[in-house]
Amino acid sequence: MLRTKLAFTLGLLVILWKCTAEEPVQTIQYEFINLQTNSPSIHTSSGITFKNPIWEIDFSKNSSVSFNHPSLSIYGTPQKFILKLWASSSGSEIVILLASHFQFFQKKIGTLQYGEQTIEFNAPPENWEYFSGENDGKVRTPLRFIKLQVNKSNCPSDILQLQIQSFICETNISPQQECILVSRTYKGNNEKIHSSCSFTNLLDKEVSGNLCIQLKDWEQNITSASTQKLVIPPSAQTINLEIPIDISANKNFVEVNWTFNRDDGKTFFANSTYTKEIEHPLDKTLNPNSPWGMGLYFLRYGSDQKSREKAAQLACQAGIKWTREDFVWDIIEPEPGKFNFDYYDNIVNTSLSYGISVYGILCYWASWTEPYTMKGIEDFVQYAEATVNHFKDRVKHWEIYNEPNIFFWQGPKELYPELVKRCYEVIKKADPEAHVLAISTAGIDNNFIDFCLQANTPFDILTIHPYRRKLDDIKFMDELKRVAQQVQNRPVWITEMGWSSHLWGDGVTEREQALLLARCYLSAIASGAVQNISWYDFRNDGDDPFYFESNFGIIRQDFSQKPALRACANICRNLPDKSIQIRKDFGENIIAFQQGNILVLWSANEDKCLKVKVTESPVIVQNLMGEVLMENSKDKFIHLPLKKGYPLFIIQGQIKGIK
């Protein structure tokens, strides 16, 4: 799902909770945001000056000012908010903006009165203004604070002094959220590796227990363990612990597990990873035949060209040869007939300079047009024609819109085939060598694909976004083969697929994310039905560890590298083209793919050890992190320790099935 993103500024990593028994949710109150101090996590619009503990607002500079946080997740399921404040005069309006998954909720919560005041209001969705996303009456958790806005309105003075004394959330929490652990493992300024963990106790009483800290390598061997007593203060207070981490020269990965065993028997868990930076040489050669793509989404870097270049260089080092970029209509044609391609010229040229080909999404509606009408389609077609004409010497693949089978398309579904027909015609006229990608479904929506086929929707390449919670490699390949048959074996590209390493709900650990990337990339291309695959997305879109949209990246917001980047590089650099062959000579439930002298295999269902015959030496066995597990130069047989879902790379030599 192509997302409009926010920028975030904290840290991140992976947390899971578990408890020993089912218990009912309980209602608590906690101060979820503190506006009494000039916190670096809270940003203010122009016209606000902090004079501890007072905020001084100058309405002569701006009639509307705001306190902003790019994404602050609220614990549990919020029920009510209690805002206590003091104001120097009456009349100003207070408006709050909260967000959920692709949804935004806005509400005028009150009018300021002189002196102290308490404003109480219920959580969304009832009696809140709703916009964006799917309006189905459901609020997805976590609900996130975005902005508290003060409008001058009937305030008699241009200067308003405001003190926000407390901002309380009344929320329902599950037993798993009574203690919240968030871990981060990172390289400090002194080049030493550290792991930290924050512990937040949401109960109104102090809790204690034993804290166990374990370090694990990629094979899940425990390399270090320690235990200590831990006391966490009450009422959403947080304590932080940090430990030094040693990682040996022949290892590229470490995982740190923090387990808090509370005295009452409940257990809370967090983990985080550190991966050594990849150091592959840059290969800036374009290779449009490569199947390996990535949603780099350089649009999101704005004017920060330094960061855009840094991301492009990392992707180049990893062997990524394609990027999916959204060519937003409103940016290209802000007024009818007035086109400006400067911003996208930079994006395309940056990509190409690092050997990364671009396929562009022609997407969304200009603010000045008439969306979902024939007039709007005609305007869209003119923007598409102008864009293809401008980039036809550099961009040869164009995707028509994004996920029109769900809420990204708010109009009649029948208009989408019409849009594609008209765009197909003008794209081919502008550039006969161009390829048109279309349908672009969230999931593999066979019904919507069939609907488009019945409408004679023209396209050269079908695009799909087969997100899923779990990955069954064999079933996944079968699904891809069936959808290729549905479109009469026209090319199929996966232009989005990924798993988020967020901390609530169905998030995966960073270790699991790396495994899933490797398996979906290899399985998709080996199926023979898919010619190109792109992960969503390259860089975390924020630092909110609880919000899943912020954590799809294979690098973090600060450019530190997740294990998924190493997994990606291991695949893209070792298997650089589409000719991946399936091997079936290793027995049932063994997934095995071959390209040249590289064999990749893993067990689908259980850990097992394979005894295999070696016909040529030497043989090097590596794990997904690029660590050498075995080097063999003389034995005729080797034993491969296969873990469920853990690909092994056998490099050089020839492996001839099981013994």
Side-chain angles (χ1 to χ4, degrees), residues 152-217:
K152 182 180 181 182
S153 191
N154 295 317
C155 182
S157 171
D158 281 342
I159 301 297
L160 170 70
Q161 291 184 325
L162 181 67
Q163 181 184 8
I164 299 176
Q165 299 168 334
S166 66
F167 205 163
I168 303 295
C169 176
E170 184 176 289
T171 185
N172 295 337
I173 62 167
S174 64
Q176 299 97 316
Q177 292 177 309
E178 292 173 358
C179 289
I180 296 174
L181 281 60
V182 180
S183 173
R184 177 173 176 250
T185 301
Y186 60 98
K187 182 185 288 187
N189 294 331
N190 59 1
E191 295 299 304
K192 300 290 186 180
I193 303 170
H194 307 269
S195 186
S196 66
C197 191
S198 65
F199 303 81
T200 303
N201 172 24
L202 294 183
L203 301 181
D204 59 3
K205 60 182 179 180
E206 176 182 277
V207 298
S208 63
N210 290 318
L211 173 66
C212 178
I213 306 172
Q214 289 184 340
L215 274 61
K216 290 186 176 183
D217 64 13

XYZ file of all heavy atoms in Angstrom, residues 152-217:
515
model
N -6.825 31.693 17.192
C -7.112 32.956 17.878
C -8.605 33.143 18.088
O -9.056 33.511 19.173
C -6.545 34.136 17.086
C -6.790 35.458 17.796
C -6.235 36.658 17.050
C -6.510 37.929 17.845
N -6.041 39.133 17.142
N -9.387 32.932 17.042
C -10.847 33.029 17.112
C -11.271 34.350 17.754
O -11.008 35.413 17.216
C -11.406 31.825 17.874
O -12.792 31.756 17.744
N -11.880 34.296 18.954
C -12.391 35.506 19.605
C -11.481 36.021 20.716
O -11.925 36.759 21.608
C -13.790 35.236 20.172
C -14.797 34.940 19.074
O -14.805 35.622 18.042
N -15.629 33.939 19.282
N -10.216 35.621 20.679
C -9.265 36.114 21.686
C -9.053 37.618 21.488
O -8.729 38.066 20.372
C -7.936 35.379 21.558
S -6.702 35.866 22.788
N -9.231 38.454 22.509
C -9.155 39.912 22.325
C -7.742 40.444 22.144
O -7.564 41.581 21.704
C -9.772 40.447 23.620
C -9.496 39.380 24.632
C -9.593 38.088 23.888
N -6.734 39.632 22.470
C -5.356 40.113 22.419
C -4.544 39.297 21.429
O -4.847 38.127 21.164
C -4.712 40.012 23.811
O -3.325 40.274 23.748
N -3.492 39.945 20.873
C -2.585 39.204 19.993
C -1.625 38.322 20.786
O -0.980 37.439 20.221
C -1.769 40.171 19.125
C -2.572 40.685 17.940
O -3.591 40.054 17.609
O -2.178 41.720 17.362
N -1.499 38.572 22.084
C -0.594 37.780 22.914
C -1.422 36.934 23.879
O -2.261 37.450 24.628
C 0.377 38.675 23.710
C 1.221 39.529 22.761
C 1.274 37.820 24.603
C 2.122 38.740 21.834
N -1.181 35.643 23.835
C -1.848 34.708 24.748
C -0.782 33.923 25.485
O 0.119 33.343 24.864
C -2.762 33.750 23.970
C -3.334 32.575 24.769
C -4.363 33.082 25.790
C -3.966 31.537 23.839
N -0.888 33.913 26.805
C -0.022 33.054 27.602
C -0.804 31.799 27.981
O -1.947 31.882 28.428
C 0.465 33.786 28.850
C 1.441 34.911 28.529
C 1.990 35.563 29.772
O 1.295 35.691 30.778
N 3.248 35.993 29.710
N -0.149 30.659 27.788
C -0.840 29.378 27.975
C 0.068 28.415 28.723
O 1.249 28.263 28.381
C -1.215 28.784 26.607
C -1.961 27.455 26.602
C -3.358 27.625 27.198
C -2.062 26.912 25.172
N -0.474 27.810 29.747
C 0.249 26.753 30.455
C -0.580 25.477 30.409
O -1.708 25.456 30.902
C 0.517 27.128 31.913
C 1.287 26.044 32.660
C 1.471 26.357 34.140
O 0.901 27.317 34.650
N 2.257 25.554 34.831
N -0.040 24.456 29.781
C -0.719 23.159 29.741
C -0.192 22.354 30.919
O 0.958 21.900 30.926
C -0.484 22.460 28.397
C -1.067 23.330 27.272
C -1.103 21.070 28.400
C -0.818 22.810 25.888
N -1.032 22.187 31.925
C -0.587 21.616 33.194
C -0.515 20.095 33.159
O 0.390 19.497 33.733
C -1.521 22.095 34.308
C -1.498 23.615 34.463
C -2.610 24.139 35.341
O -3.664 23.508 35.477
N -2.397 25.315 35.944
N -1.462 19.474 32.484
C -1.406 18.012 32.325
C -2.303 17.597 31.178
O -3.286 18.278 30.862
C -1.826 17.287 33.610
O -3.201 17.515 33.897
N -1.933 16.502 30.560
C -2.725 15.950 29.452
C -2.845 14.452 29.722
O -1.888 13.694 29.529
C -2.035 16.220 28.119
C -2.965 16.246 26.929
C -2.560 16.804 25.730
C -4.247 15.711 26.996
C -3.399 16.846 24.631
C -5.101 15.748 25.914
C -4.673 16.316 24.723
N -3.997 14.063 30.219
C -4.214 12.702 30.715
C -5.057 11.916 29.720
O -6.010 12.437 29.136
C -4.935 12.720 32.082
C -4.132 13.539 33.100
C -5.178 11.307 32.590
C -2.793 12.969 33.444
N -4.700 10.655 29.529
C -5.521 9.735 28.732
C -6.086 8.657 29.639
O -5.351 8.045 30.422
C -4.678 9.099 27.628
S -5.578 7.862 26.662
N -7.390 8.458 29.543
C -8.034 7.321 30.211
C -8.196 6.235 29.166
O -8.844 6.441 28.141
C -9.384 7.740 30.779
C -10.089 6.650 31.566
C -11.380 7.146 32.184
O -11.301 7.945 33.144
O -12.468 6.750 31.685
N -7.601 5.086 29.420
C -7.514 4.065 28.377
C -7.682 2.670 28.952
O -7.403 2.434 30.141
C -6.156 4.176 27.642
O -6.120 3.263 26.556
C -4.990 3.886 28.564
N -8.143 1.765 28.129
C -8.225 0.357 28.504
C -6.959 -0.354 28.053
O -6.570 -0.243 26.886
C -9.436 -0.311 27.849
C -10.755 0.248 28.354
O -10.826 0.801 29.451
N -11.805 0.107 27.555
N -6.321 -1.053 28.966
C -5.119 -1.801 28.608
C -5.328 -3.286 28.870
O -6.047 -3.684 29.781
C -3.873 -1.301 29.364
C -4.037 -1.478 30.880
C -3.553 0.136 29.014
C -2.741 -1.306 31.652
N -4.678 -4.084 28.056
C -4.698 -5.532 28.248
C -3.585 -5.913 29.217
O -2.675 -5.112 29.484
C -4.486 -6.234 26.907
O -3.195 -5.935 26.404
N -3.617 -7.122 29.758
C -2.543 -7.545 30.668
C -1.157 -7.456 30.041
O -0.183 -7.176 30.737
C -2.915 -8.998 30.987
C -4.390 -9.063 30.792
C -4.677 -8.138 29.650
N -1.071 -7.650 28.706
C 0.225 -7.603 28.037
C 0.832 -6.206 28.033
O 2.014 -6.043 27.764
C 0.099 -8.099 26.589
C -0.370 -9.540 26.467
C -1.856 -9.629 26.225
O -2.641 -8.924 26.864
N -2.253 -10.487 25.295
N -0.005 -5.185 28.306
C 0.475 -3.812 28.250
C 0.706 -3.193 29.627
O 1.000 -2.007 29.718
C -0.511 -2.951 27.458
C -0.564 -3.286 25.987
C -1.610 -2.456 25.262
O -2.761 -2.394 25.681
N -1.209 -1.815 24.187
N 0.603 -4.002 30.679
C 0.832 -3.449 32.010
C 2.270 -2.955 32.159
O 2.526 -1.936 32.796
C 0.515 -4.499 33.070
C -0.959 -4.841 33.144
C -1.234 -5.994 34.087
O -0.268 -6.548 34.659
O -2.416 -6.354 34.248
N 3.197 -3.697 31.587
C 4.595 -3.265 31.528
C 5.017 -3.225 30.065
O 4.791 -4.191 29.337
C 5.510 -4.213 32.303
S 5.314 -4.122 34.091
N 5.607 -2.139 29.667
C 5.969 -1.961 28.265
C 7.484 -1.834 28.165
O 8.095 -0.962 28.797
C 5.271 -0.728 27.667
C 3.757 -0.968 27.669
C 5.777 -0.435 26.267
C 2.941 0.214 27.246
N 8.075 -2.720 27.383
C 9.514 -2.746 27.177
C 9.828 -2.369 25.736
O 9.180 -2.872 24.812
C 10.093 -4.141 27.458
C 10.325 -4.565 28.908
C 9.045 -4.567 29.728
C 10.977 -5.948 28.946
N 10.790 -1.487 25.556
C 11.244 -1.114 24.217
C 12.769 -1.153 24.215
O 13.411 -0.496 25.035
C 10.764 0.297 23.807
C 11.257 0.632 22.399
C 9.244 0.392 23.873
N 13.327 -1.906 23.287
C 14.775 -2.102 23.239
C 15.373 -1.499 21.977
O 14.714 -1.413 20.938
C 15.097 -3.600 23.302
O 16.478 -3.824 23.101
N 16.627 -1.106 22.078
C 17.380 -0.579 20.945
C 18.839 -0.992 21.109
O 19.419 -0.830 22.187
C 17.249 0.946 20.899
C 18.045 1.627 19.799
C 17.690 3.109 19.760
N 18.516 3.817 18.780
C 19.474 4.688 19.097
N 19.734 4.946 20.357
N 20.175 5.298 18.163
N 19.441 -1.529 20.056
C 20.851 -1.899 20.068
C 21.545 -1.134 18.960
O 21.092 -1.155 17.812
C 21.030 -3.416 19.893
O 20.329 -4.090 20.961
C 22.499 -3.819 19.950
N 22.631 -0.455 19.280
C 23.164 0.534 18.354
C 24.654 0.747 18.599
O 25.206 0.375 19.645
C 22.427 1.864 18.532
C 22.567 2.440 19.928
C 23.514 3.422 20.198
C 21.768 1.981 20.980
C 23.669 3.937 21.472
C 21.916 2.484 22.258
C 22.865 3.459 22.510
O 23.019 3.947 23.774
N 25.303 1.383 17.634
C 26.694 1.792 17.774
C 26.729 3.244 18.237
O 26.141 4.120 17.612
C 27.440 1.644 16.450
C 28.930 2.013 16.542
C 29.608 1.974 15.185
C 29.788 0.556 14.694
N 30.602 0.521 13.427
N 27.417 3.488 19.347
C 27.488 4.827 19.886
C 28.545 5.681 19.205
O 29.262 5.234 18.300
N 28.652 6.910 19.658
C 29.633 7.828 19.088
C 31.062 7.364 19.301
O 31.978 7.752 18.578
C 29.450 9.229 19.683
C 28.124 9.857 19.283
O 27.598 9.556 18.217
N 27.585 10.720 20.137
N 31.258 6.521 20.324
C 32.589 5.990 20.601
C 32.890 4.703 19.829
O 33.872 4.021 20.110
C 32.741 5.728 22.104
C 31.689 4.745 22.627
O 30.851 4.245 21.864
N 31.722 4.474 23.915
N 32.003 4.389 18.848
C 32.144 3.197 18.006
C 31.915 1.905 18.778
O 32.113 0.811 18.244
C 33.516 3.156 17.321
C 33.743 4.288 16.322
C 32.733 4.255 15.172
O 32.651 3.218 14.500
O 32.048 5.275 14.965
N 31.512 2.014 20.045
C 31.175 0.838 20.831
C 29.691 0.509 20.646
O 28.869 1.390 20.429
C 31.463 1.076 22.316
C 32.923 1.400 22.632
C 33.813 0.195 22.428
C 35.241 0.509 22.886
N 36.141 -0.652 22.691
N 29.363 -0.780 20.731
C 27.980 -1.213 20.571
C 27.314 -1.280 21.944
O 27.903 -1.788 22.906
C 27.905 -2.571 19.863
C 28.614 -2.490 18.510
C 26.457 -3.000 19.667
C 28.802 -3.842 17.854
N 26.103 -0.763 22.025
C 25.348 -0.747 23.274
C 23.940 -1.266 22.999
O 23.418 -1.144 21.895
C 25.245 0.671 23.837
C 26.551 1.374 23.984
N 27.296 1.336 25.136
C 27.261 2.132 23.107
C 28.401 2.037 24.972
N 28.401 2.534 23.743
N 23.337 -1.821 24.027
C 21.921 -2.171 23.958
C 21.223 -1.527 25.138
O 21.697 -1.610 26.279
C 21.710 -3.687 23.988
O 20.341 -4.001 23.784
N 20.124 -0.852 24.866
C 19.352 -0.201 25.923
C 17.934 -0.741 25.916
O 17.440 -1.249 24.901
C 19.333 1.319 25.726
O 18.633 1.655 24.543
N 17.282 -0.613 27.063
C 15.874 -1.008 27.152
C 15.180 -0.067 28.120
O 15.708 0.247 29.194
C 15.741 -2.453 27.633
S 14.063 -3.126 27.473
N 14.001 0.416 27.717
C 13.170 1.227 28.605
C 12.053 0.353 29.159
O 11.520 -0.525 28.465
C 12.588 2.424 27.856
O 11.697 2.002 26.844
N 11.712 0.598 30.423
C 10.686 -0.182 31.118
C 9.647 0.790 31.657
O 9.964 1.661 32.478
C 11.300 -0.973 32.275
C 12.418 -1.899 31.877
C 13.705 -1.415 31.682
C 12.188 -3.251 31.693
C 14.743 -2.253 31.316
C 13.220 -4.109 31.322
C 14.500 -3.609 31.129
N 8.401 0.663 31.195
C 7.323 1.546 31.631
C 6.247 0.714 32.307
O 5.719 -0.242 31.718
C 6.717 2.309 30.438
O 7.746 3.042 29.778
C 5.636 3.265 30.901
N 5.915 1.077 33.524
C 4.898 0.386 34.304
C 3.636 1.233 34.318
O 3.618 2.329 34.877
C 5.429 0.159 35.725
C 4.373 -0.380 36.674
O 3.391 -0.990 36.253
N 4.578 -0.149 37.962
N 2.562 0.742 33.706
C 1.320 1.504 33.623
C 0.422 1.317 34.842
O -0.599 2.018 34.968
C 0.549 1.120 32.358
C 1.210 1.490 31.030
C 0.296 1.121 29.866
C 1.561 2.962 30.971
N 0.755 0.403 35.726
C -0.061 0.198 36.923
C 0.193 1.312 37.936
O 1.201 2.020 37.874
C 0.247 -1.168 37.536
C 0.017 -2.384 36.621
C 0.343 -3.668 37.363
C -1.410 -2.411 36.103
N -0.723 1.444 38.897
C -0.588 2.504 39.901
C 0.197 2.052 41.127
O 0.169 2.695 42.174
C -1.962 3.037 40.316
C -2.860 1.948 40.900
O -2.385 0.786 41.034
O -4.025 2.249 41.205
N 0.892 0.943 41.003
C 1.733 0.464 42.100
C 3.066 -0.016 41.541
O 3.172 -0.442 40.391
C 1.042 -0.688 42.838
C 0.734 -1.894 41.965
C 0.007 -2.972 42.735
C -0.322 -4.169 41.814
N -1.023 -5.233 42.545
N 4.072 0.071 42.355
C 5.414 -0.384 41.979
C 5.407 -1.882 41.720
O 4.680 -2.640 42.383
C 6.355 -0.047 43.134
C 7.775 -0.510 42.984
C 8.599 -0.167 44.213
O 9.081 0.977 44.293
O 8.722 -1.036 45.108
N 6.182 -2.323 40.738
C 6.294 -3.753 40.463
C 7.769 -4.139 40.470
O 8.658 -3.317 40.207
C 5.656 -4.141 39.107
C 4.169 -3.840 39.100
C 6.346 -3.453 37.952
N 8.026 -5.412 40.749
C 9.399 -5.909 40.787
C 9.454 -7.309 40.201
O 8.431 -7.982 40.038
C 9.934 -5.910 42.220
O 9.167 -6.790 43.033
N 10.660 -7.737 39.891
C 10.850 -9.069 39.332
C 12.294 -9.254 38.912
O 13.174 -8.445 39.226
N 12.544 -10.326 38.184
C 13.877 -10.628 37.687
C 13.980 -10.273 36.206
O 13.089 -10.603 35.419
C 14.205 -12.111 37.879
C 14.390 -12.470 39.341
O 15.020 -11.729 40.087
N 13.835 -13.607 39.755
N 15.067 -9.624 35.861
C 15.346 -9.268 34.471
C 16.441 -10.179 33.945
O 17.542 -10.228 34.504
C 15.785 -7.810 34.364
C 16.256 -7.352 32.981
C 15.102 -7.383 31.984
C 16.863 -5.961 33.058
N 16.137 -10.895 32.870
C 17.113 -11.763 32.216
C 17.501 -11.139 30.877
O 16.627 -10.772 30.086
C 16.542 -13.166 32.004
S 17.673 -14.293 31.146
N 18.793 -11.009 30.627
C 19.300 -10.451 29.371
C 20.101 -11.532 28.660
O 21.047 -12.084 29.229
C 20.186 -9.214 29.620
C 19.443 -8.180 30.458
C 20.630 -8.608 28.286
C 20.322 -7.023 30.909
N 19.715 -11.848 27.432
C 20.402 -12.858 26.636
C 20.859 -12.274 25.310
O 20.136 -11.494 24.689
C 19.494 -14.057 26.345
C 19.194 -14.949 27.520
C 18.375 -16.167 27.107
O 17.737 -16.161 26.057
N 18.385 -17.191 27.936
N 22.043 -12.675 24.882
C 22.538 -12.355 23.553
C 22.522 -13.618 22.712
O 22.941 -14.691 23.188
C 23.970 -11.804 23.614
C 24.136 -10.297 23.859
C 23.528 -9.883 25.191
C 25.607 -9.913 23.796
N 22.030 -13.494 21.464
C 21.964 -14.645 20.575
C 22.596 -14.310 19.235
O 22.531 -13.170 18.768
C 20.510 -15.081 20.346
C 19.848 -15.713 21.560
C 18.463 -16.247 21.209
C 17.834 -16.956 22.392
N 16.498 -17.536 22.034
N 23.190 -15.339 18.599
C 23.704 -15.153 17.247
C 22.620 -15.520 16.241
O 21.472 -15.803 16.614
C 24.995 -15.952 17.034
C 24.792 -17.467 17.145
O 23.629 -17.943 17.135
O 25.798 -18.194 17.233
